[in-house]
Amino acid sequence: MENSFEALIATYIENKVGISEHFLSNDLANNLKQNLFALNESSQLAAAGIGNSEKLSYDGAIRSDSIYWLDKKHNNAFENEFFAQIEAFILYLNESCYAGITGYEFHYSLYEAGDFYLKHLDQFKNNPSRKYSMISYLNSDWQESDGGELLIHQLDNNQKISPTQGKTVFFKSDELVHEVLVTQNTRMSITGWLKSD
């Protein structure tokens, strides 16, 4: 586990975008994916908004995915396993990099064919608590023709990251503008933020 933590941190230090190809085990990714399928089949996902609770709006011309917030109160075994891994990573990050992270929030994200999310920053103008963004992908057998890449905009090196199963991406929430390119296939992830309140 620490190898995947160190991979995230080392690649983040190198180019401001941390990537671990196997942050999630295949078993955990498959179980989380089955949870997401079940939630979608029971119509528990909601249209994703733009902004936070103080200034929330919905605009399908900007983003068109659906989400479901994870919560320990749900007491789902696989989501709890995911939370335990995130908490272990936060401890490692705080001890090795003095990051000062005190909390987190995560949701499932589902993009159907044709869905996208235009350029944006993850930190709200009226609330700076989100410090780092983390995205863990749940897509096995993803092909280049499926699209749906995460495109991170940097002055000298834009990065296009494929959403392959088990991969996790990590970057500062107030620093990098990014977007999700149009997907041609069902695209699943757990997306969230490490916070300092």
Side-chain angles (χ1 to χ4, degrees):
M1 189 181 293
E2 283 195 0
N3 286 342
S4 64
F5 296 172
E6 190 54 42
L8 275 183
I9 293 170
T11 51
Y12 166 77
I13 290 170
E14 184 178 340
N15 62 14
K16 297 187 177 181
V17 181
I19 299 177
S20 171
E21 294 290 342
H22 305 290
F23 184 86
L24 297 184
S25 70
N26 205 44
D27 283 346
L28 180 55
N30 282 330
N31 287 322
L32 291 166
K33 180 164 49 182
Q34 291 307 312
N35 279 355
L36 179 48
F37 280 142
L39 289 164
N40 190 42
E41 287 174 5
S42 58
S43 302
Q44 294 190 61
L45 273 69
I50 302 157
N52 59 7
S53 57
E54 296 172 30
K55 194 176 180 181
L56 183 63
S57 63
Y58 297 89
D59 187 343
I62 294 175
R63 71 180 298 188
S64 51
D65 58 315
S66 300
I67 66 170
Y68 179 89
W69 288 97
L70 278 66
D71 193 320
K72 283 189 174 179
K73 293 177 184 175
H74 300 155
N75 201 27
N76 178 280
F78 304 117
E79 292 171 15
N80 287 345
E81 185 180 346
F82 174 79
F83 286 141
Q85 186 153 339
I86 292 298
E87 288 166 5
F89 176 66
I90 289 171
L91 182 62
Y92 189 88
L93 181 67
N94 283 343
E95 288 181 346
S96 60
C97 301
Y98 308 102
I101 300 303
T102 58
Y104 56 83
E105 58 184 4
F106 284 89
H107 61 65
Y108 289 113
S109 185
L110 176 68
Y111 289 74
E112 302 284 10
D115 285 346
F116 58 89
Y117 191 172
L118 298 183
K119 288 183 185 179
H120 62 282
L121 274 176
D122 280 350
Q123 192 180 86
F124 301 122
K125 292 179 180 178
N126 61 353
N127 184 342
S129 64
R130 289 179 175 178
K131 301 304 180 186
Y132 295 95
S133 302
M134 289 188 74
I135 309 152
S136 295
Y137 295 111
L138 308 175
N139 308 295
S140 54
D141 303 317
W142 196 260
Q143 306 296 318
E144 187 175 349
S145 59
D146 292 329
E149 295 95 342
L150 176 69
L151 179 59
I152 297 180
H153 295 268
Q154 293 177 285
L155 288 176
D156 55 349
N157 181 30
N158 288 351
Q159 290 191 61
K160 189 185 285 188
I161 299 167
S162 61
T164 52
Q165 179 157 299
K167 180 186 293 178
T168 290
V169 181
F170 170 77
F171 54 91
K172 283 197 77 174
S173 300
D174 67 345
E175 194 168 78
L176 296 181
V177 172
H178 56 286
E179 62 183 302
V180 176
L181 301 180
V182 176
T183 184
Q184 306 301 329
N185 205 340
T186 301
R187 177 191 189 274
M188 295 162 287
S189 67
I190 294 181
T191 298
W193 300 273
L194 308 186
K195 303 175 73 175
S196 180
D197 295 313

